[in-house]
Amino acid sequence: MEQHDLLRKEIIAGVIGFFTTVYIVIVNGSILSEAGVSLETGMIATIMASFVGTMIMGIFGKLPLILIPGMGINALFAYSIIGNNNFSFQEGLAVVWIAGLIFVITAFTRLGSILKEAIPDSLKHAITVGLGFFLILIGLEKSGIVISGDSTVIAIGDFTSPTVITGLVTLFIAIFLFVKNVPANFLITMVIGTVIALVTGVETRQASSINFQLSELVFIPSFQAIGDISFWLAIFTLSLILIFENMGILNGQLDMLDKQKGYKKAFRITATSSLTSALFGTSPTVSSAENAAVIASGGKTGKAAITAGILFLATIIFIPWISLVPNTAISPILVIVGFLMAQNIKHLPLQQLADCIPALLIVVMIPFTYSIGDGMAFGFIAYPIVKWALGKKEEISKPLLIISGLFFLEFALKVIGI
């Protein structure tokens, strides 16, 4: 194949990759807006972090991988790290920055392999599943399909409400497009969902302005909460998820590319990108799951990533129109991504009760407590207790015991009011 044809194939793959991931601009911007910044600022932060991370991967990694703020991780940032701990947005970014630094250290040292061996696979998979159910809950809440009940914790929404009807119709359209594997199905879902909302009279947002100051492109994390144990537990939780999620995603994507030799470089670039995310004002970037579409479209080199990165930067001029997308058009995407993450439940050792109980505690307690950190704590504390009860102390690693002790200490401090 001629050089010109190869370049065209890479560019097309990059364009396809961009359209399958551009939904993140409004979805992540919407989640960040619930953490203390404006929707416009959240979208700009998402665009800049995606642009820089993807360009670094394309130029230095020479791989067709797009880096965007991770779904699930953004919920952890907004609802758990900031929401549950009452941190300011800048304090939350400090958590992101230190977690990113730990990720970088892990990527450039043996710490990654130590952590990988210390944490049981059952707990790793349970975190992903719990995050999935948490996203499903958030998505259903955003469209009013489920609400807080008067006599129950959760109740069904008002099915006579135009908002709920619009949310349900958009959700079923999203599911149809997804299972039919329609290219850029998330983007199409948002467009159709927005049109339906306009037709049914569901309130949409006002068009935004693209006027912004330099200060909106660069954030300074605040370390005022550095003395709080909750600050460090938030860092641990985020670091753990960042490291293991990217390990799994990159391994799978490089297998598709038959380029496992590039794993170490890709892992290090992903870690570096996550570190810069805090400076742009967003939760950490990860290698997008939608990179499978880039690879399937013939993307094999960094030229595809560079193409997608440039298109992400150009998205800034479309912010006034992107900001019109209502919650009813965003919520189905959260629900479907949650379904995908929840599929990892098949990896849980359901036939081995000793490993399954701590894992299932994580799965159910993350959405039930509305806190990813607290949900993880239940499972990590239960794991050594179950192993001790069965006389299997040798299966408890020292790093895991330290981690479990920190989670227990956090609960103890909450009890005594510290």
Side-chain angles (χ1 to χ4, degrees), residues 292-355:
V294 182
I295 298 167
S297 302
K300 296 182 182 299
T301 72
K303 295 182 181 69
I306 292 170
T307 300
I310 292 170
L311 289 173
F312 262 111
L313 184 61
T315 307
I316 286 182
I317 65 176
F318 296 103
I319 282 179
W321 295 275
I322 297 173
S323 61
L324 292 172
V325 179
N327 279 335
T328 52
I330 295 170
S331 60
I333 296 170
L334 299 178
V335 173
I336 291 176
V337 172
F339 287 157
L340 294 174
M341 297 177 75
Q343 282 185 326
N344 277 277
I345 200 166
K346 65 188 176 186
H347 298 304
L348 297 187
L350 300 176
Q351 304 302 319
Q352 302 170 27
L353 205 58
D355 291 323

Side-chain angles (χ1 to χ4, degrees), residues 129-142 146 331 334-342 367:
V129 177
L131 275 168
F133 283 119
F134 191 41
L135 278 181
I136 293 169
L137 177 60
I138 292 169
L140 295 175
E141 283 183 330
K142 273 184 172 291
V146 299
S331 60
L334 299 178
V335 173
I336 291 176
V337 172
F339 287 157
L340 294 174
M341 297 177 75

Side-chain angles (χ1 to χ4, degrees), residues 393-404:
K393 298 179 182 178
E394 70 280 358
E395 295 184 18
I396 309 169
S397 65
K398 290 181 180 178
L400 177 62
L401 197 58
I402 293 171
I403 291 165
S404 301

